[in-house]
Amino acid sequence: MYDILYLFKGMLVGLMVSIPLGPMGVLIIQKTLHKGALSGFIAGMGAASADLFYAAVAAFGLGFVINIVQAHELLLQIIGGIFLIVIGLKIYFDNPIRQIRQRRQGRVSKTGLLGDYLSLFFLTVSNPITVVVFMAVFAGMSVFGESSSLLGEVLVVAGVLLGGGVWWYTLSTLVNIFRKKFRLRVLITINRVSGMVITVLGALVILSAFAPFKNLVIQ
């Protein structure tokens, strides 16, 4: 029974990492507003899966992975920033009318959902700071106690995915409820604003990769 506590600790960590509304949260809200709750939730699970990867690296002490991430930290951060800028511009110039018509006609394809998942996964993975965050949280919260077991580590990592999933499901569901009250003009405005926000965040991510702008790193 005590081992189950590791699962709840992992869920708490997953919630703590997911709840702050960074660029990933803005993207998931935008996808929910224009494509529905399922698209938002699937995209959220992409981000949660990336958190799962970095949580596993931190929990199991996969030194070779950490070394690779650190060695390519600058490149990963720049790539992630470029992806955010491209996605931000795409959202800004997207036509929400076409998206709404496709959703009403039931044309949300599996390919589209897979794209939602993979885009958020790779964007989240491209932020190498995440593994440092998990290592700090695990240590600060004494997640594993004085002595850790393989089962405990597995349950913590699984809890991180579950906690993230719970949050993204809750967020996408709530946003979807309010989405139905938005008029088309409001959705167009949201598209423009979220596109600009994500583009600016992408630029900040790139700037934060260089020494003079290190304090601009976005978690």
Side-chain angles (χ1 to χ4, degrees), residues 156-184:
V156 166
V157 172
V160 168
L161 178 65
L162 186 58
V166 168
W167 167 247
W168 296 125
Y169 176 80
T170 302
L171 180 65
S172 59
T173 300
L174 290 176
V175 171
N176 189 57
I177 292 173
F178 290 105
R179 174 184 62 83
K180 298 174 182 179
K181 299 180 180 180
F182 292 154
R183 295 182 179 180
L184 183 58

Side-chain angles (χ1 to χ4, degrees), residues 44 60 98 112 124 169 171 188 201 206 215:
F60 300 127
R98 184 176 63 251
T124 307
Y169 176 80
L171 180 65
I188 293 174
L201 289 174
I206 294 175
N215 291 332

Side-chain angles (χ1 to χ4, degrees), residues 12-216:
L12 180 60
V13 172
L15 287 168
M16 289 174 58
V17 172
S18 300
I19 287 177
L21 191 61
M24 303 304 113
V26 175
L27 270 172
I28 289 164
I29 289 174
Q30 194 275 339
K31 286 182 180 294
T32 302
L33 285 172
H34 292 278
K35 298 173 67 177
L38 180 60
S39 177
F41 173 65
I42 294 298
M45 289 310 297
S49 297
D51 287 339
L52 170 70
F53 169 74
Y54 278 127
V57 170
F60 300 127
L62 301 178
F64 68 98
V65 177
I66 295 176
N67 290 337
I68 292 174
V69 169
Q70 289 178 340
H72 299 87
E73 179 178 356
L74 179 63
L75 179 61
L76 287 171
Q77 204 161 333
I78 292 174
I79 291 174
I82 292 173
F83 279 161
L84 279 174
I85 291 174
V86 171
I87 290 175
L89 291 175
K90 181 179 182 301
I91 290 173
Y92 184 88
F93 292 107
D94 262 351
N95 182 358
I97 298 176
R98 184 176 63 251
Q99 294 175 334
I100 292 171
R101 285 175 178 172
Q102 289 176 346
R103 188 178 65 247
R104 287 176 177 174
Q105 295 171 5
R107 291 165 58 189
V108 179
S109 66
K110 293 181 180 179
T111 304
L113 293 176
L114 179 61
D116 292 335
Y117 175 88
L118 292 177
S119 63
L120 268 294
F121 175 83
F122 286 116
L123 279 171
T124 307
V125 161
S126 68
N127 183 7
I129 301 300
T130 308
V131 68
V132 179
V133 172
F134 276 111
M135 293 174 70
V137 172
F138 287 162
M141 293 179 59
S142 299
V143 171
F144 301 110
E146 295 181 359
S147 59
S148 61
S149 64
L150 178 60
L151 176 60
E153 292 170 350
V154 170
L155 288 174
V156 166
V157 172
V160 168
L161 178 65
L162 186 58
V166 168
W167 167 247
W168 296 125
Y169 176 80
T170 302
L171 180 65
S172 59
T173 300
L174 290 176
V175 171
N176 189 57
I177 292 173
F178 290 105
R179 174 184 62 83
K180 298 174 182 179
K181 299 180 180 180
F182 292 154
R183 295 182 179 180
L184 183 58
R185 182 176 299 177
V186 175
L187 290 177
I188 293 174
T189 301
I190 291 173
N191 241 35
R192 299 293 184 265
V193 173
S194 59
M196 287 190 293
V197 168
I198 292 168
T199 301
V200 170
L201 289 174
L204 291 177
V205 167
I206 294 175
L207 285 175
S208 68
F210 301 96
F213 305 97
K214 284 294 184 182
N215 291 332
L216 291 177

